[in-house]
Amino acid sequence: LAIGSIALYAACSHYFLACAPEALHQDSRPPCKVDADTYLQRGWCRLEQWAFMAINGSAQMYVFDSSLSQLSSRRRWIEESVNVFNGHFTHEADKALLVDVVLGLYGLAVIAALDPSVAAGRHLTGGKGPQHV
């Protein structure tokens, strides 16, 4: 269930923050370095980024590595995140689980492009835009 809902959760969020400072992944043997570059290489991470961008664009996307910056200033991130199936997956079979999710995201992206109120959330809130609690 969590795997299938990653894209929906990211697409319905108002902001996106990838928190990826340099660190050691202690569960790896031997421990390996992880950072913003390794985050961008992972298929599931690409999916959550692309899901957000498909509906909301990149203006409210941020990454924290050694400091906070907007993802829109990192063209490589934008270009690579849409290549979900070229990302690294621990289990290559996981790619098959993403086919329906990615097709759904393409459909939502087309709808959002045709009707910008979809991306702004006005279709859910009676034309008032996103509601914050």
Side-chain angles (χ1 to χ4, degrees):
L1 182 59
I3 288 173
S5 64
I6 285 176
L8 180 62
Y9 180 79
C12 292
S13 299
H14 297 289
Y15 298 94
F16 182 93
L17 172 63
C19 187
E22 187 173 317
L24 282 178
H25 189 280
Q26 294 296 322
D27 291 338
S28 298
R29 296 292 175 238
C32 63
K33 182 185 92 159
V34 292
D35 58 14
D37 288 329
T38 61
Y39 173 90
L40 183 57
Q41 293 170 7
R42 294 194 292 272
W44 291 110
C45 298
R46 288 181 179 199
L47 175 67
E48 64 187 11
Q49 291 173 79
W50 183 68
F52 186 91
M53 277 190 291
I55 305 306
N56 301 296
S58 61
Q60 297 299 326
M61 295 182 75
Y62 301 89
V63 62
F64 179 83
D65 43 17
S66 59
S67 63
L68 186 66
S69 64
Q70 280 193 291
L71 278 180
S72 60
S73 68
R74 298 182 180 200
R75 185 170 175 87
R76 184 178 135 244
W77 275 67
I78 304 301
E79 292 171 355
E80 288 193 35
S81 64
V82 299
N83 294 311
V84 174
F85 292 103
N86 290 331
H88 175 264
F89 290 85
T90 303
H91 305 284
E92 287 293 310
D94 284 350
K95 291 179 182 181
L97 299 172
L98 298 182
V99 173
D100 290 342
V101 173
V102 169
L103 287 174
L105 282 171
Y106 274 118
L108 287 172
V110 169
I111 291 169
L114 295 173
D115 182 358
S117 71
V118 171
R122 290 188 292 272
H123 66 291
L124 299 173
T125 61
K128 298 177 185 172
Q131 301 295 305
H132 300 279
V133 182

